[in-house]
Amino acid sequence: MSRKSKVVIGTWSLSGDFGRVDLKNIQTTLEDCAKQGYTEFDVAPVYGIGFMESCLGNVFGGDNNIKISTKCGNHILAGKDFSVEALRRSLDNSLKRLKRDSVHTLFLHNPRTELDRFESVLGFMKEEKNSGRITYGGISAAKGFPYDPETLRQFDALQDDANLLYLDAIESRPRPKKYFYVRSPLASGILSGYMTRETVFAQDDCRSQWLKGERLISIMKRVDEIRKRTELPLPNLARRFVLDMKEIDKVIFGVKSSSHLAGLEQDICAEPLPEKLVHELIQLYRQDFGLSSAEKHLGY
């Protein structure tokens, strides 16, 4: 699988949940993604309270060359509900906003203790596949949550975090039937190269709730250890690292403007990272970047 075929464009950062984004910029960014050959997009009903699904629908509508995956179970202004009735209603509404008859993959959106048995939702996914409204049924796993491995294996697709700061999903999650999707390759912007110990997020940026204080300081210590291993710019290193991992089928890259595509294109065309460097980075993670055990809970 080529690097470019692994890329999925994540749209959460365009939704306004990470700060205001101009409507014209959203349209231009989505159109530019398609023009440059990126034809698979990831979204959820709660991204911008339905706004992002509507934007994708307005730009791409029923364009069959564009694949859109969305989620269900985390409902707009209503919280988590994984009952079959709620999931079906969520899919109905997503298809209306997306202006299409079907989606590529429908993911359960980060179920935790709200769902202890999966038979009903797996049955729902099977029905919707048979109806043609979804191609695959998947689960967008809550980061670090201890799911039953046999349950995860029953889904067509699995989505979880993986990046230079967090490799647990790669090392411990079982493979689904079809695709292993990785999200947060830049760790919510931590690996963008712009963040420091003094970074303060605006109140309308969801990162302001958790990426601050001693957690931010400890995470940036880890970033400093990564930087010591190579002169390659941090975001380029982070993107190439996940794109070349054989365990990963798809990588969701969030973009907030067309300018973000330039770095992605550069890394798609670049030489693979040296094997020695990749090994060092994996070992660095496994050793928790040389930090004391007292800081382990402050990781990404």
Side-chain angles (χ1 to χ4, degrees), residues 143 160-171 180-192 210 219 222-223 226 234-235 237-243 245 248 251-253 281-282 284-286 289 299-300:
K143 178 171 164 282
D160 207 335
D161 282 34
N163 50 59
L164 287 167
L165 294 169
Y166 183 80
L167 292 174
D168 282 13
I170 299 297
E171 300 196 335
F180 196 153
Y181 284 73
V182 158
R183 62 180 183 242
S184 300
L186 295 186
S188 301
I190 297 166
L191 300 173
S192 67
W210 64 275
I219 289 175
R222 294 168 169 86
V223 172
I226 292 171
L234 188 62
L237 175 68
R239 287 189 290 260
R240 293 182 202 176
F241 181 76
V242 291
L243 281 170
M245 292 194 80
I248 297 171
V251 184
I252 301 170
F253 288 97
L281 293 169
I282 292 173
L284 186 64
Y285 171 77
R286 290 174 176 169
F289 304 89
Y300 170 75

Side-chain angles (χ1 to χ4, degrees), residues 55-76:
C55 288
L56 284 164
N58 290 336
V59 174
F60 297 125
D63 186 344
N64 293 327
N65 294 317
I66 300 295
K67 296 177 181 178
I68 298 178
S69 295
T70 192
K71 304 177 183 74
C72 61
N74 191 5
H75 306 275
I76 297 173

